[in-house]
Amino acid sequence: AQKITQTQPGMFVQEKEAVTLDCTYDTSDPSYGLFWYKQPSSGEMIFLIYQGSYDQQNATEGRYSLNFQKARKSANLVISASQLGDSAMYFCALTTSGNTGKLIFGQGTTLQVKP
Amino acid sequence: EPEVTQTPSHQVTQMGQEVILRCVPISNHLYFYWYRQILGQKVEFLVSFYNNEISEKSEIFDDQFSVERPDGSNFTLKIRSTKLEDSAMYFCASRRASYGTDTQYFGPGTRLTVL
């Protein structure tokens, strides 16, 4: 069975500091991908970053980076230099080559950035 | 930048009524999805659609639900007889390929309220 686990329901971070949001996954498919999405209070789902299981390097997109540890089945999102606009819900999601491209989401982590 | 659009943004309906939620995926995308998010909960997969047919559906997607691509641009989700528990945010998503680095782009969502 495929599963995504986000164990931090809520996180606080001081503005300009870095924060790590945890995500662990479970799949028996050797070929898979991991996504992170941001959901602000307005409700839309904003794509942040993608990591493929065969990617040699950790993904980075601006202030977002992914700490991918394949042996531990973890794909933690690191946000550097937090901004007030980063306050939102963050979802980790899994897709595998054996399915139709559907995403399996974790429960999400609410991040609040303090001024 | 191309985007997925959804209408209406908010739909209020009476229990037992039929609703149709509309989506316009990104034009060169081939794979289409519907997800739902009950308030405060995680995003759940409903159905995937490719080549004018359902490729996968979840256990949530029972006989009350149907999807259609009536023309070359629209992708609709119909709920035949709404229940109170159908109240949720419904997201449409699309991607160019079913796997790989192609991002799955989400629409802004339709908030369905069943009274």
Side-chain angles (χ1 to χ4, degrees):
Chain A
Q2 297 155 0
K3 191 178 177 183
I4 285 277
T5 303
Q6 294 180 254
T7 57
Q8 305 155 313
M11 292 278 288
F12 288 93
V13 65
Q14 206 67 37
E15 194 178 9
K16 297 179 186 165
E17 291 185 352
V19 63
T20 298
L21 306 184
D22 294 342
C23 172
T24 57
Y25 60 91
D26 189 24
T27 179
S28 56
D29 195 321
S31 184
Y32 53 89
L34 294 147
F35 293 82
W36 277 92
Y37 286 86
K38 173 184 178 183
Q39 187 178 42
S41 57
S42 50
E44 71 265 36
M45 296 288 285
I46 302 167
F47 165 74
L48 295 178
I49 197 166
Y50 169 85
Q51 179 82 46
S53 58
Y54 294 120
D55 292 345
Q56 295 297 314
Q57 296 190 338
N58 286 345
T60 61
E61 288 283 349
R63 294 187 298 111
Y64 304 108
S65 61
L66 212 149
N67 183 1
F68 182 48
Q69 298 188 43
K70 200 168 178 178
R72 298 179 63 182
K73 293 193 172 181
S74 73
N76 299 338
L77 176 70
V78 180
I79 306 174
S80 63
S82 298
Q83 301 171 356
L84 295 178
D86 294 333
S87 294
M89 178 79 94
Y90 289 81
F91 289 99
C92 182
L94 169 71
T95 188
T96 68
S97 64
N99 70 25
T100 56
K102 72 178 183 188
L103 296 179
I104 299 159
F105 284 84
Q107 295 285 0
T109 296
T110 301
L111 177 67
Q112 291 196 33
V113 180
K114 293 181 175 178
Chain B
E1 185 176 311
E3 59 183 15
V4 178
T5 59
Q6 289 185 245
T7 54
S9 56
H10 191 185
Q11 173 104 37
V12 180
T13 190
Q14 295 290 326
M15 192 170 57
Q17 295 295 305
E18 175 183 287
V19 294
I20 298 176
L21 310 183
R22 291 184 165 80
C23 167
V24 179
I26 295 173
S27 62
N28 64 346
H29 285 189
L30 301 176
Y31 294 83
F32 313 116
Y33 307 87
W34 283 101
Y35 296 84
R36 81 170 185 192
Q37 184 183 30
I38 294 171
L39 188 62
Q41 298 186 22
K42 69 177 180 181
V43 180
E44 300 173 290
F45 166 75
L46 290 178
V47 65
S48 59
F49 191 86
Y50 170 70
N51 201 25
N52 279 322
E53 60 182 25
I54 290 174
S55 46
E56 186 176 357
K57 59 185 180 180
S58 73
E59 58 194 25
I60 302 169
F61 194 88
D62 61 21
D63 292 344
Q64 293 300 311
F65 291 88
S66 62
V67 289
E68 198 177 39
R69 191 156 159 82
D71 51 42
S73 58
N74 290 285
F75 179 50
T76 62
L77 174 70
K78 185 196 296 189
I79 308 175
R80 233 176 302 278
S81 177
T82 49
K83 308 183 189 99
L84 295 176
E85 54 264 37
D86 293 328
S87 294
M89 179 77 98
Y90 288 81
F91 291 104
C92 173
S94 71
R95 66 190 298 188
R96 195 171 47 180
S98 68
Y99 186 66
T101 57
D102 287 310
T103 300
Q104 191 165 135
Y105 290 94
F106 281 73
T110 292
R111 182 165 299 284
L112 177 65
T113 303
V114 182
L115 302 176

